[in-house]
Amino acid sequence: MVTVPRLQQIAPSRSLASNDRIRSTVRDQSSNILQRSAGVANLGLRAIEVNKAYEDSKIDTISSEANQKYAEWNAKKLGTLKAFKGDPTDAYAQYDIEEKAFLEKMVSDKPDLNERVARGFNNNLAKIQNSNRVKVLKQRGFQKEVYEHDLFEADVKLNKNDLAVSASYIQEG
């Protein structure tokens, strides 16, 4: 016959331990914890708002500087183009290329911008360019019109001068 050993279980104590620290009651701290958690969350939201305000200020500042630089550059280029004689088509095509390079350089000069600031700066640059585009197109159209008018007048003058020579070739019959 085989005997299986049995373990005896210790009976649970029916009386509380005599240690006073165990008997102490714990205050309900849930409202205090909730209040502090809300304070930390509000602090986080406030930090986000402050950061956004800083970024907005940065966008405004660098956009203002870019607007000033672009206005100076554009006035100088348009002054040069205004003095151009002849067909202005190629000169304005070159202006468009130089303008694009100038704007790209202004963006590349600011490589340390975060994504939001860079996007805002690019949007403001596009607005600056578009607001000056009307002035450029007016000047371009006016110069093209003057060139075509002068070309027509020169053509009429040549034909008028050639009329006397051509009339000498006219024969009766």
Side-chain angles (χ1 to χ4, degrees):
M1 164 170 347
V2 178
T3 5
V4 179
R6 289 188 168 216
L7 294 175
Q8 282 189 336
Q9 192 174 21
I10 300 176
S13 170
R14 301 219 186 271
S15 65
L16 292 174
S18 64
N19 191 341
D20 289 333
R21 288 187 297 175
I22 293 177
R23 289 187 190 184
S24 66
T25 56
V26 178
R27 273 189 302 156
D28 182 17
Q29 296 283 335
S30 60
S31 64
N32 193 12
I33 292 171
L34 203 60
Q35 184 180 17
R36 288 181 188 211
S37 297
V40 169
N42 287 339
L43 185 63
L45 291 174
R46 182 68 183 135
I48 290 171
E49 290 172 3
V50 167
N51 188 46
K52 186 176 182 280
Y54 171 76
E55 289 175 342
D56 290 343
S57 174
K58 178 98 172 163
I59 291 170
D60 290 343
T61 302
I62 62 177
S63 294
S64 254
E65 292 170 1
N67 188 17
Q68 184 179 1
K69 284 181 185 177
Y70 180 79
E72 290 171 5
W73 178 88
N74 196 42
K76 181 180 171 186
K77 285 292 180 181
L78 288 180
T80 305
L81 287 171
K82 199 171 199 174
F84 185 80
K85 300 294 181 199
D87 186 4
T89 305
D90 292 339
Y92 279 94
Q94 183 62 34
Y95 165 85
D96 290 340
I97 292 168
E98 290 173 8
E99 179 189 39
K100 183 179 178 187
F102 181 78
L103 292 173
E104 286 174 353
K105 183 177 181 335
M106 287 198 338
V107 170
S108 68
D109 284 347
K110 308 238 183 288
D112 58 336
L113 302 178
N114 69 26
E115 182 182 337
R116 183 175 177 273
V117 174
R119 189 175 50 248
F121 178 60
N122 287 331
N123 289 342
N124 287 348
L125 271 182
K127 288 176 188 175
I128 292 166
Q129 182 186 19
N130 288 338
S131 70
N132 285 298
R133 180 58 52 185
V134 173
K135 188 187 323 180
V136 173
L137 292 175
K138 276 180 161 181
Q139 182 174 316
R140 182 181 200 165
F142 179 75
Q143 280 186 268
K144 184 77 172 169
E145 189 176 312
V146 167
Y147 169 72
E148 289 175 355
H149 180 267
D150 290 348
L151 198 60
F152 175 75
E153 290 292 322
D155 217 13
V156 168
K157 189 176 180 180
L158 279 174
N159 288 339
K160 183 179 172 185
N161 290 342
D162 287 345
L163 186 60
V165 174
S166 297
S168 67
Y169 291 115
I170 298 176
Q171 297 177 357
E172 249 181 75

